[in-house]
Coordinates of all heavy atoms in Angstrom, one line a residue:
M18 N 61.6 -3.1 12.0 CA 60.4 -2.6 11.5 C 59.3 -3.6 11.8 O 59.4 -4.7 11.6 CB 60.5 -2.3 10.0 CG 59.4 -1.5 9.4 SD 59.6 -1.1 7.7 CE 60.8 0.2 7.8
P19 N 58.1 -3.1 12.2 CA 57.0 -3.9 12.5 C 56.5 -4.7 11.3 O 56.7 -4.4 10.2 CB 55.9 -3.0 13.0 CG 56.7 -1.8 13.5 CD 57.9 -1.7 12.6
Q20 N 55.7 -5.8 11.6 CA 55.1 -6.5 10.6 C 54.2 -5.6 9.7 O 53.6 -4.6 10.2 CB 54.2 -7.7 11.2 CG 55.0 -8.7 11.8 CD 54.1 -9.8 12.4 OE1 52.9 -9.7 12.4 NE2 54.7 -10.9 12.9
N21 N 54.0 -6.0 8.5 CA 53.2 -5.3 7.5 C 53.6 -3.8 7.3 O 52.9 -3.0 6.8 CB 51.7 -5.2 8.0 CG 51.1 -6.6 8.1 OD1 51.4 -7.4 7.3 ND2 50.3 -6.8 9.0
A22 N 54.9 -3.5 7.6 CA 55.5 -2.2 7.3 C 55.8 -2.1 5.9 O 56.3 -3.0 5.3 CB 56.6 -1.9 8.2
D23 N 55.6 -0.9 5.3 CA 56.1 -0.6 4.0 C 56.8 0.7 4.0 O 57.1 1.3 5.0 CB 54.8 -0.5 3.0 CG 53.8 0.5 3.5 OD1 54.1 1.4 4.3 OD2 52.7 0.5 2.9
D24 N 57.1 1.2 2.8 CA 58.0 2.4 2.7 C 57.4 3.7 3.3 O 58.0 4.6 3.7 CB 58.3 2.8 1.2 CG 59.2 1.7 0.6 OD1 59.9 1.0 1.3 OD2 59.3 1.6 -0.7
S25 N 56.0 3.7 3.4 CA 55.3 4.9 4.0 C 54.9 4.6 5.5 O 54.2 5.5 6.1 CB 54.1 5.1 3.2 OG 54.4 5.5 1.9
F26 N 55.4 3.5 6.1 CA 55.0 3.2 7.5 C 55.2 4.3 8.4 O 54.4 4.8 9.1 CB 55.7 1.9 7.9 CG 55.5 1.5 9.3 CD1 54.4 0.8 9.6 CD2 56.4 1.9 10.3 CE1 54.1 0.4 10.9 CE2 56.1 1.6 11.6 CZ 55.0 0.8 11.9
Y27 N 56.5 4.8 8.4 CA 56.8 5.9 9.4 C 56.2 7.2 9.1 O 55.9 8.0 10.0 CB 58.4 6.0 9.5 CG 59.0 4.8 10.2 CD1 59.7 3.9 9.4 CD2 58.8 4.6 11.5 CE1 60.3 2.8 10.0 CE2 59.3 3.5 12.1 CZ 60.1 2.6 11.4 OH 60.6 1.5 12.0
D28 N 55.9 7.5 7.8 CA 55.2 8.7 7.4 C 53.8 8.7 8.0 O 53.3 9.7 8.5 CB 55.2 8.9 5.9 CG 56.5 9.1 5.3 OD1 57.4 9.6 6.0 OD2 56.7 8.8 4.0
R29 N 53.1 7.6 7.9 CA 51.7 7.5 8.4 C 51.8 7.7 9.9 O 50.9 8.3 10.6 CB 51.1 6.2 8.0 CG 50.7 6.2 6.5 CD 49.8 4.9 6.2 NE 50.5 3.7 6.6 CZ 51.3 3.0 5.8 NH1 51.5 3.5 4.6 NH2 51.8 1.9 6.2
A30 N 52.7 7.0 10.6 CA 52.8 7.1 12.0 C 53.1 8.5 12.5 O 52.5 9.0 13.4 CB 53.9 6.1 12.5
D31 N 54.0 9.2 11.7 CA 54.3 10.6 12.1 C 53.1 11.5 11.9 O 52.9 12.4 12.6 CB 55.5 11.1 11.2 CG 56.8 10.5 11.6 OD1 56.9 9.9 12.7 OD2 57.8 10.6 10.8
A32 N 52.2 11.2 10.9 CA 51.0 12.0 10.7 C 50.1 11.9 11.9 O 49.5 12.8 12.4 CB 50.3 11.5 9.4
H33 N 50.0 10.7 12.5 CA 49.2 10.5 13.7 C 49.8 11.2 14.9 O 49.1 11.8 15.7 CB 49.0 9.0 14.0 CG 48.2 8.2 13.0 ND1 46.8 8.4 12.9 CD2 48.6 7.3 12.1 CE1 46.4 7.6 11.9 NE2 47.5 6.9 11.4
I34 N 51.1 11.2 15.0 CA 51.8 11.8 16.1 C 51.6 13.4 15.9 O 51.4 14.1 16.9 CB 53.3 11.4 16.2 CG1 53.4 10.0 16.5 CG2 54.0 12.3 17.1 CD1 54.8 9.4 16.3
E35 N 51.7 13.8 14.7 CA 51.5 15.3 14.5 C 50.1 15.7 14.9 O 50.0 16.8 15.5 CB 51.8 15.6 13.0 CG 51.7 17.1 12.6 CD 52.1 17.3 11.2 OE1 52.9 16.6 10.6 OE2 51.5 18.3 10.7
L36 N 49.1 14.9 14.5 CA 47.8 15.3 15.0 C 47.6 15.3 16.5 O 47.1 16.3 17.1 CB 46.7 14.3 14.4 CG 45.3 14.4 14.9 CD1 44.7 15.8 14.5 CD2 44.4 13.3 14.4
S37 N 48.2 14.4 17.2 CA 48.2 14.4 18.6 C 49.0 15.6 19.2 O 48.5 16.2 20.2 CB 48.9 13.1 19.2 OG 48.0 12.0 18.9
N38 N 50.1 16.0 18.6 CA 50.8 17.2 19.0 C 49.9 18.4 18.8 O 49.9 19.3 19.7 CB 52.1 17.3 18.3 CG 53.1 16.3 18.8 OD1 53.1 15.9 19.9 ND2 54.0 16.0 17.9
E39 N 49.2 18.5 17.7 CA 48.3 19.6 17.6 C 47.2 19.6 18.6 O 46.8 20.7 19.1 CB 47.6 19.5 16.2 CG 48.5 19.8 15.0 CD 47.9 19.5 13.6 OE1 46.6 19.4 13.6 OE2 48.6 19.4 12.7
Q40 N 46.7 18.5 19.0 CA 45.6 18.4 20.0 C 46.2 18.8 21.4 O 45.4 19.4 22.2 CB 45.1 17.0 20.1 CG 44.2 16.6 18.9 CD 43.8 15.2 18.9 OE1 44.2 14.4 19.7 NE2 42.9 14.9 17.9
L41 N 47.5 18.6 21.6 CA 48.1 19.1 22.9 C 47.9 20.6 23.0 O 47.8 21.1 24.1 CB 49.6 18.7 23.0 CG 49.8 17.3 23.3 CD1 51.3 17.0 23.3 CD2 49.3 16.9 24.7
G42 N 47.9 21.3 21.9 CA 47.8 22.7 22.0 C 46.4 23.2 22.4 O 46.2 24.2 23.0
Q43 N 45.4 22.3 22.2 CA 44.0 22.6 22.6 C 43.7 22.0 24.0 O 43.0 22.7 24.7 CB 43.1 21.9 21.6 CG 43.3 22.4 20.2 CD 42.7 21.5 19.2 OE1 41.9 20.5 19.5 NE2 43.0 21.7 17.9
V44 N 44.2 20.9 24.3 CA 43.9 20.2 25.6 C 44.9 20.4 26.6 O 44.6 20.6 27.8 CB 43.7 18.7 25.3 CG1 43.4 18.0 26.6 CG2 42.6 18.4 24.3
Q45 N 46.2 20.5 26.2 CA 47.3 20.6 27.2 C 47.4 19.6 28.3 O 47.8 19.9 29.4 CB 47.4 22.1 27.7 CG 47.5 23.1 26.6 CD 47.5 24.5 27.2 OE1 47.2 24.8 28.3 NE2 48.0 25.4 26.3
D46 N 47.0 18.4 28.0 CA 47.0 17.3 28.9 C 47.5 16.1 28.2 O 46.8 15.5 27.4 CB 45.6 17.0 29.5 CG 45.6 16.0 30.6 OD1 46.5 15.0 30.5 OD2 44.8 16.1 31.5
L47 N 48.8 15.7 28.4 CA 49.4 14.6 27.7 C 48.6 13.3 27.8 O 48.4 12.6 26.9 CB 50.8 14.4 28.2 CG 51.9 15.5 27.9 CD1 53.1 15.3 28.8 CD2 52.2 15.5 26.5
G48 N 48.1 13.0 29.0 CA 47.4 11.8 29.3 C 46.1 11.7 28.5 O 45.8 10.7 28.0
K49 N 45.4 12.8 28.4 CA 44.1 12.8 27.7 C 44.3 12.6 26.2 O 43.6 11.8 25.6 CB 43.3 14.1 27.9 CG 42.8 14.2 29.3 CD 41.9 15.5 29.5 CE 41.4 15.5 30.9 NZ 40.6 16.7 31.2
V50 N 45.3 13.2 25.6 CA 45.6 13.0 24.2 C 46.1 11.7 23.9 O 45.7 11.0 23.0 CB 46.6 14.1 23.7 CG1 47.0 13.8 22.3 CG2 46.0 15.5 23.8
S51 N 47.0 11.1 24.8 CA 47.5 9.8 24.7 C 46.3 8.8 24.8 O 46.3 7.8 23.9 CB 48.5 9.5 25.8 OG 48.9 8.1 25.7
A52 N 45.4 8.9 25.7 CA 44.3 8.0 25.8 C 43.4 8.0 24.6 O 43.0 7.0 24.1 CB 43.5 8.3 27.1
S53 N 43.2 9.2 24.1 CA 42.3 9.3 22.8 C 43.0 8.6 21.6 O 42.4 7.9 20.9 CB 42.1 10.8 22.5 OG 41.3 11.4 23.5
M54 N 44.3 8.8 21.5 CA 45.0 8.2 20.4 C 45.0 6.7 20.6 O 44.8 5.9 19.6 CB 46.5 8.7 20.4 CG 47.3 8.2 19.2 SD 48.9 8.8 19.2 CE 49.5 8.6 17.6
M55 N 45.2 6.2 21.8 CA 45.2 4.7 22.0 C 43.8 4.2 21.7 O 43.6 3.1 21.1 CB 45.6 4.4 23.4 CG 46.0 2.9 23.6 SD 46.7 2.4 25.2 CE 47.2 3.9 26.0
F56 N 42.7 4.9 22.2 CA 41.4 4.4 21.9 C 41.1 4.4 20.4 O 40.5 3.4 19.9 CB 40.3 5.3 22.6 CG 38.9 4.9 22.3 CD1 38.3 3.8 23.0 CD2 38.2 5.5 21.3 CE1 37.0 3.4 22.7 CE2 36.9 5.1 21.0 CZ 36.3 4.1 21.7
G57 N 41.5 5.4 19.7 CA 41.3 5.4 18.3 C 42.0 4.3 17.6 O 41.5 3.7 16.6
T58 N 43.2 4.0 18.0 CA 44.0 2.8 17.5 C 43.3 1.5 17.7 O 43.1 0.7 16.8 CB 45.4 2.8 18.1 OG1 46.1 4.0 17.7 CG2 46.2 1.6 17.6
T59 N 42.7 1.3 18.9 CA 42.0 0.1 19.2 C 40.8 0.0 18.4 O 40.4 -1.1 17.9 CB 41.8 -0.1 20.7 OG1 40.9 0.9 21.2 CG2 43.1 -0.1 21.5
R60 N 40.1 1.1 18.3 CA 38.8 1.1 17.6 C 39.0 0.7 16.1 O 38.3 -0.1 15.5 CB 38.1 2.4 17.7 CG 36.7 2.4 17.1 CD 36.0 3.7 17.5 NE 34.6 3.7 17.0 CZ 33.6 4.0 17.6 NH1 33.7 4.5 18.8 NH2 32.4 4.0 17.1
F61 N 40.1 1.4 15.5 CA 40.4 1.1 14.1 C 40.8 -0.3 13.9 O 40.4 -1.0 13.0 CB 41.5 2.1 13.6 CG 41.8 1.9 12.2 CD1 41.0 2.5 11.2 CD2 43.0 1.3 11.8 CE1 41.3 2.3 9.9 CE2 43.3 1.1 10.5 CZ 42.4 1.6 9.5
N62 N 41.6 -0.8 14.8 CA 42.1 -2.2 14.7 C 41.0 -3.2 14.9 O 40.9 -4.3 14.2 CB 43.2 -2.5 15.7 CG 44.5 -1.9 15.3 OD1 44.8 -1.7 14.2 ND2 45.4 -1.6 16.3
A63 N 40.0 -2.9 15.7 CA 38.8 -3.8 15.8 C 38.0 -3.8 14.5 O 37.6 -4.9 14.0 CB 37.9 -3.3 17.0
W64 N 37.9 -2.6 13.9 CA 37.2 -2.5 12.6 C 37.9 -3.3 11.5 O 37.3 -4.0 10.7 CB 37.0 -1.1 12.2 CG 36.3 -0.9 10.9 CD1 35.0 -1.0 10.6 CD2 37.0 -0.5 9.7 NE1 34.8 -0.7 9.3 CE2 36.0 -0.4 8.7 CE3 38.3 -0.2 9.4 CZ2 36.3 -0.1 7.4 CZ3 38.6 0.1 8.0 CH2 37.6 0.2 7.1
V65 N 39.3 -3.1 11.4 CA 40.1 -3.8 10.4 C 39.9 -5.3 10.6 O 39.8 -6.0 9.6 CB 41.5 -3.3 10.5 CG1 42.5 -4.2 9.7 CG2 41.7 -1.9 10.0
S66 N 40.0 -5.7 11.9 CA 39.9 -7.2 12.2 C 38.5 -7.7 11.7 O 38.4 -8.8 11.1 CB 40.1 -7.4 13.6 OG 41.4 -7.1 14.0
A67 N 37.4 -6.9 12.0 CA 36.1 -7.4 11.7 C 35.9 -7.6 10.2 O 35.1 -8.5 9.8 CB 35.1 -6.4 12.2
R68 N 36.6 -6.9 9.4 CA 36.5 -7.0 7.9 C 36.9 -8.4 7.4 O 36.6 -8.7 6.4 CB 37.3 -5.9 7.2 CG 36.7 -4.5 7.5 CD 37.6 -3.4 6.8 NE 37.9 -3.8 5.5 CZ 37.2 -3.2 4.4 NH1 36.3 -2.3 4.6 NH2 37.6 -3.5 3.2
N69 N 37.7 -9.1 8.3 CA 38.1 -10.5 7.9 C 37.1 -11.6 8.2 O 37.5 -12.7 8.0 CB 39.5 -10.8 8.6 CG 40.6 -9.8 8.0 OD1 40.7 -9.7 6.9 ND2 41.3 -9.2 9.0
F70 N 36.0 -11.3 8.8 CA 35.0 -12.3 9.2 C 33.7 -12.1 8.5 O 33.3 -11.0 8.0 CB 34.9 -12.2 10.7 CG 36.2 -12.5 11.4 CD1 36.9 -11.4 11.9 CD2 36.6 -13.8 11.6 CE1 38.1 -11.6 12.6 CE2 37.8 -14.0 12.3 CZ 38.6 -13.0 12.8
K71 N 32.9 -13.2 8.5 CA 31.6 -13.2 7.9 C 30.5 -12.9 8.9 O 29.4 -12.6 8.6 CB 31.3 -14.5 7.2 CG 32.2 -14.7 6.0 CD 32.0 -16.0 5.3 CE 32.9 -16.1 4.1 NZ 33.3 -17.5 3.8
S72 N 30.9 -13.1 10.2 CA 29.8 -12.9 11.3 C 30.5 -12.6 12.6 O 31.7 -12.8 12.8 CB 29.0 -14.2 11.5 OG 29.8 -15.2 12.0
G73 N 29.7 -12.0 13.5 CA 30.2 -11.8 14.9 C 30.6 -13.0 15.6 O 31.5 -13.1 16.4
E74 N 29.9 -14.1 15.3 CA 30.2 -15.4 15.9 C 31.5 -15.9 15.5 O 32.3 -16.4 16.3 CB 29.1 -16.4 15.6 CG 27.7 -16.1 16.2 CD 26.9 -15.1 15.4 OE1 27.2 -14.8 14.3 OE2 26.0 -14.5 16.1
E75 N 31.8 -15.8 14.2 CA 33.1 -16.2 13.7 C 34.2 -15.3 14.3 O 35.3 -15.8 14.7 CB 33.1 -16.1 12.2 CG 34.4 -16.6 11.5 CD 34.4 -16.4 10.0 OE1 33.4 -15.8 9.4 OE2 35.4 -16.7 9.4
M76 N 34.0 -14.0 14.4 CA 34.9 -13.1 15.0 C 35.2 -13.5 16.4 O 36.3 -13.5 16.9 CB 34.5 -11.7 14.8 CG 35.5 -10.7 15.3 SD 34.9 -9.0 14.9 CE 36.2 -8.0 15.5
A77 N 34.1 -13.8 17.2 CA 34.2 -14.2 18.6 C 35.1 -15.4 18.8 O 35.9 -15.4 19.8 CB 32.8 -14.4 19.2
Q78 N 35.1 -16.3 17.8 CA 35.9 -17.5 18.0 C 37.4 -17.1 17.8 O 38.3 -17.9 18.4 CB 35.6 -18.5 16.9 CG 34.2 -19.1 17.2 CD 33.7 -20.1 16.1 OE1 34.4 -20.2 15.0 NE2 32.6 -20.7 16.2
A79 N 37.7 -16.1 17.1 CA 39.1 -15.7 16.9 C 39.5 -14.5 17.9 O 40.7 -14.0 17.8 CB 39.3 -15.2 15.5
R80 N 38.7 -14.2 18.8 CA 38.9 -13.1 19.7 C 40.3 -13.2 20.5 O 41.1 -12.2 20.5 CB 37.8 -12.9 20.7 CG 37.9 -11.7 21.7 CD 36.7 -11.7 22.6 NE 36.6 -10.5 23.4 CZ 37.3 -10.3 24.5 NH1 38.0 -11.3 25.1 NH2 37.2 -9.2 25.2
E81 N 40.5 -14.3 21.1 CA 41.8 -14.5 21.9 C 43.0 -14.3 21.0 O 44.0 -13.8 21.4 CB 41.8 -15.8 22.7 CG 40.8 -15.8 23.8 CD 41.1 -14.6 24.9 OE1 42.3 -14.4 25.2 OE2 40.2 -13.9 25.2
A82 N 42.9 -14.9 19.8 CA 44.1 -14.8 18.9 C 44.3 -13.4 18.5 O 45.5 -13.0 18.4 CB 43.8 -15.7 17.7
M83 N 43.3 -12.6 18.3 CA 43.4 -11.2 17.9 C 44.0 -10.4 19.1 O 44.9 -9.6 18.9 CB 42.1 -10.6 17.4 CG 41.6 -11.1 16.1 SD 40.1 -10.3 15.5 CE 38.9 -11.0 16.6
L84 N 43.5 -10.7 20.3 CA 44.0 -10.0 21.5 C 45.5 -10.3 21.6 O 46.3 -9.4 21.9 CB 43.3 -10.4 22.7 CG 41.9 -9.8 22.9 CD1 41.2 -10.5 24.0 CD2 42.0 -8.3 23.1
T85 N 45.9 -11.5 21.5 CA 47.3 -11.9 21.6 C 48.1 -11.2 20.6 O 49.2 -10.6 20.9 CB 47.5 -13.4 21.4 OG1 46.8 -14.1 22.5 CG2 48.9 -13.9 21.5
Y86 N 47.7 -11.2 19.3 CA 48.4 -10.5 18.2 C 48.6 -9.1 18.5 O 49.8 -8.6 18.5 CB 47.7 -10.8 16.9 CG 48.3 -9.9 15.8 CD1 49.5 -10.3 15.2 CD2 47.7 -8.7 15.4 CE1 50.1 -9.5 14.2 CE2 48.3 -7.9 14.4 CZ 49.5 -8.3 13.8 OH 50.1 -7.5 12.9
F87 N 47.5 -8.4 18.7 CA 47.6 -6.9 19.0 C 48.4 -6.6 20.2 O 49.2 -5.6 20.2 CB 46.3 -6.2 19.0 CG 45.7 -6.1 17.6 CD1 44.5 -6.9 17.2 CD2 46.2 -5.3 16.6 CE1 44.0 -6.8 15.9 CE2 45.7 -5.2 15.3 CZ 44.6 -6.0 15.0
C88 N 48.2 -7.3 21.3 CA 48.9 -7.0 22.5 C 50.4 -7.2 22.3 O 51.3 -6.5 22.8 CB 48.4 -7.8 23.7 SG 46.8 -7.2 24.2
D89 N 50.8 -8.4 21.7 CA 52.2 -8.6 21.4 C 52.8 -7.6 20.5 O 54.0 -7.1 20.7 CB 52.4 -10.0 20.7 CG 52.1 -11.2 21.6 OD1 52.0 -11.0 22.9 OD2 52.0 -12.3 21.1
Q90 N 52.1 -7.1 19.5 CA 52.6 -6.1 18.6 C 52.8 -4.8 19.3 O 53.8 -4.1 19.2 CB 51.7 -5.9 17.4 CG 51.7 -7.0 16.4 CD 53.0 -7.1 15.7 OE1 53.5 -6.2 15.1 NE2 53.6 -8.3 15.8
Y91 N 51.8 -4.4 20.1 CA 51.9 -3.2 20.9 C 53.1 -3.2 21.9 O 53.9 -2.3 22.0 CB 50.6 -2.9 21.7 CG 50.7 -1.6 22.5 CD1 50.3 -0.5 21.9 CD2 51.1 -1.6 23.8 CE1 50.4 0.8 22.6 CE2 51.2 -0.4 24.5 CZ 50.8 0.8 23.9 OH 50.8 2.0 24.6
R92 N 53.2 -4.3 22.6 CA 54.4 -4.5 23.5 C 55.7 -4.4 22.8 O 56.6 -3.7 23.3 CB 54.3 -5.8 24.3 CG 55.4 -5.9 25.3 CD 55.3 -7.2 26.1 NE 56.3 -7.2 27.1 CZ 56.1 -6.8 28.4 NH1 55.0 -6.3 28.8 NH2 57.1 -6.8 29.2
M93 N 55.9 -5.1 21.7 CA 57.1 -5.0 20.9 C 57.4 -3.6 20.5 O 58.5 -3.1 20.7 CB 57.0 -5.9 19.7 CG 58.3 -5.9 18.8 SD 58.0 -6.8 17.3 CE 56.9 -5.8 16.4
M94 N 56.4 -2.9 19.9 CA 56.7 -1.5 19.5 C 56.9 -0.6 20.7 O 57.8 0.3 20.6 CB 55.5 -1.0 18.7 CG 55.3 -1.7 17.4 SD 53.8 -1.0 16.5 CE 53.4 -2.5 15.6
L95 N 56.2 -0.7 21.8 CA 56.4 0.1 23.0 C 57.8 -0.2 23.5 O 58.5 0.8 23.9 CB 55.4 -0.2 24.0 CG 55.5 0.7 25.3 CD1 55.4 2.2 25.0 CD2 54.4 0.3 26.3
E96 N 58.3 -1.4 23.6 CA 59.6 -1.7 24.1 C 60.6 -1.1 23.2 O 61.6 -0.5 23.8 CB 59.8 -3.3 24.1 CG 59.1 -3.9 25.2 CD 59.2 -5.5 25.2 OE1 59.7 -6.0 24.2 OE2 58.9 -6.1 26.2
D97 N 60.5 -1.1 21.9 CA 61.5 -0.5 21.0 C 61.5 1.0 21.2 O 62.6 1.6 21.3 CB 61.1 -0.8 19.5 CG 61.4 -2.2 19.1 OD1 62.0 -2.9 19.9 OD2 60.9 -2.6 18.0
N98 N 60.4 1.6 21.3 CA 60.3 3.1 21.5 C 60.8 3.5 22.9 O 61.4 4.6 23.0 CB 59.0 3.6 21.2 CG 58.7 3.7 19.7 OD1 59.3 4.6 19.1 ND2 57.9 2.9 19.2
L99 N 60.5 2.7 23.9 CA 61.0 3.0 25.3 C 62.6 3.0 25.3 O 63.2 3.9 25.8 CB 60.4 2.1 26.3 CG 59.0 2.3 26.7 CD1 58.5 1.2 27.6 CD2 58.8 3.7 27.4
D100 N 63.1 1.9 24.7 CA 64.6 1.7 24.6 C 65.2 2.9 23.8 O 66.2 3.4 24.2 CB 64.9 0.4 24.0 CG 64.6 -0.8 24.9 OD1 64.4 -0.6 26.1 OD2 64.6 -1.9 24.4
D101 N 64.5 3.3 22.7 CA 65.0 4.4 21.9 C 65.1 5.7 22.8 O 66.1 6.4 22.7 CB 64.1 4.6 20.7 CG 64.6 5.7 19.8 OD1 65.9 5.8 19.6 OD2 63.8 6.4 19.3
H102 N 64.0 5.9 23.6 CA 64.0 7.2 24.4 C 64.9 7.1 25.5 O 65.5 8.1 25.9 CB 62.6 7.5 24.9 CG 61.8 8.2 23.8 ND1 61.3 7.5 22.7 CD2 61.4 9.4 23.8 CE1 60.6 8.4 22.0 NE2 60.7 9.6 22.6
I103 N 65.2 5.9 26.1 CA 66.1 5.7 27.1 C 67.5 6.0 26.6 O 68.3 6.7 27.2 CB 66.0 4.3 27.8 CG1 64.8 4.1 28.6 CG2 67.3 4.0 28.6 CD1 64.4 2.7 28.9
N104 N 67.8 5.5 25.5 CA 69.2 5.6 24.9 C 69.4 7.0 24.3 O 70.6 7.4 24.2 CB 69.4 4.5 23.8 CG 69.4 3.1 24.3 OD1 69.9 2.9 25.4 ND2 68.9 2.2 23.6
N105 N 68.4 7.7 24.0 CA 68.6 9.1 23.4 C 67.9 10.1 24.3 O 67.4 11.2 23.8 CB 68.0 9.1 22.0 CG 68.7 8.1 21.1 OD1 69.8 8.4 20.7 ND2 68.1 7.0 20.7
F106 N 67.7 9.9 25.6 CA 67.0 10.7 26.4 C 67.4 12.2 26.4 O 66.6 13.1 26.2 CB 67.1 10.2 27.9 CG 66.1 10.9 28.8 CD1 64.8 10.5 28.9 CD2 66.6 12.0 29.5 CE1 63.9 11.2 29.8 CE2 65.7 12.7 30.4 CZ 64.4 12.3 30.5
A107 N 68.7 12.4 26.5 CA 69.2 13.8 26.5 C 68.8 14.5 25.2 O 68.4 15.7 25.2 CB 70.7 13.8 26.8
T108 N 68.9 13.9 24.1 CA 68.7 14.5 22.8 C 67.1 14.7 22.7 O 66.7 15.8 22.2 CB 69.1 13.6 21.7 OG1 70.5 13.4 21.8 CG2 68.8 14.2 20.3
Y109 N 66.3 13.7 22.9 CA 64.9 13.8 22.7 C 64.2 14.8 23.7 O 63.2 15.4 23.3 CB 64.2 12.5 22.8 CG 64.6 11.5 21.7 CD1 64.2 10.2 21.8 CD2 65.2 11.9 20.5 CE1 64.5 9.2 20.8 CE2 65.5 11.0 19.6 CZ 65.1 9.7 19.7 OH 65.4 8.8 18.7
M110 N 64.7 14.9 24.9 CA 64.1 15.6 25.9 C 64.7 17.0 26.1 O 64.2 17.8 26.9 CB 64.0 14.9 27.2 CG 63.4 13.5 27.2 SD 61.7 13.5 26.4 CE 60.8 14.4 27.6
Q111 N 65.6 17.4 25.3 CA 66.3 18.7 25.4 C 65.2 19.7 25.2 O 64.5 19.8 24.2 CB 67.3 18.8 24.3 CG 68.1 20.1 24.4 CD 69.2 20.0 23.3 OE1 69.3 19.2 22.4 NE2 70.1 21.1 23.3
G112 N 65.1 20.6 26.1 CA 64.2 21.7 26.1 C 62.7 21.3 26.5 O 61.8 22.2 26.4
S113 N 62.5 20.1 26.8 CA 61.1 19.7 27.2 C 60.9 20.0 28.7 O 61.8 19.8 29.5 CB 60.9 18.2 27.0 OG 60.9 17.9 25.6
A114 N 59.8 20.5 29.0 CA 59.5 20.8 30.4 C 58.9 19.5 31.1 O 58.4 18.7 30.4 CB 58.4 21.9 30.5
K115 N 59.1 19.4 32.4 CA 58.6 18.2 33.1 C 57.1 18.3 33.2 O 56.5 19.3 33.3 CB 59.2 18.2 34.5 CG 60.3 17.3 34.6 CD 60.7 17.2 36.0 CE 61.6 16.0 36.3 NZ 62.0 15.9 37.6

């Protein structure tokens, strides 16, 4: 489980995924919906990060550390989910069109 996870971690993640699935019905372009979800995540994380600083200058000094943290977390979560889909491909993709 990722850092800062609590009992409702997966419920919140599933709610975001559900919203993206609803948007697929309107846009019907996986890439566009994925890009919007990723942008929203980065924008929210930048805002959450900014709340920990007193000034833009102070935040700028921590920029590289924040980039490292968020990129490492994203990579770890993506690796876990890619491995999960590789190991359960037949089950997860049953009935999915290419």
Side-chain angles (χ1 to χ4, degrees):
M18 188 175 287
Q20 290 180 354
N21 298 326
D23 59 14
D24 292 340
S25 298
F26 176 84
Y27 291 108
D28 292 337
R29 287 189 304 273
D31 288 343
H33 291 290
I34 294 167
E35 185 176 328
L36 175 61
S37 291
N38 286 333
E39 289 173 16
Q40 291 174 351
L41 281 176
Q43 301 161 9
V44 178
Q45 298 179 346
D46 185 328
L47 294 167
K49 288 182 180 179
V50 174
S51 176
S53 295
M54 184 178 198
M55 196 173 345
F56 178 80
T58 298
T59 62
R60 188 173 182 136
F61 183 77
N62 286 333
W64 176 77
V65 168
S66 297
R68 293 177 51 102
N69 293 311
F70 298 98
K71 294 179 181 151
S72 69
E74 293 80 19
E75 184 184 0
M76 187 176 178
Q78 292 174 355
R80 184 179 187 273
E81 286 304 314
M83 290 183 289
L84 283 169
T85 297
Y86 170 78
F87 284 113
C88 289
D89 287 350
Q90 289 295 303
Y91 183 86
R92 183 177 184 95
M93 179 187 68
M94 291 180 209
L95 181 59
E96 286 175 346
D97 288 347
N98 281 289
L99 287 172
D100 290 343
D101 183 41
H102 278 73
I103 289 166
N104 294 326
N105 297 289
F106 188 86
T108 301
Y109 291 169
M110 301 311 291
Q111 184 176 9
S113 292
K115 262 186 164 181

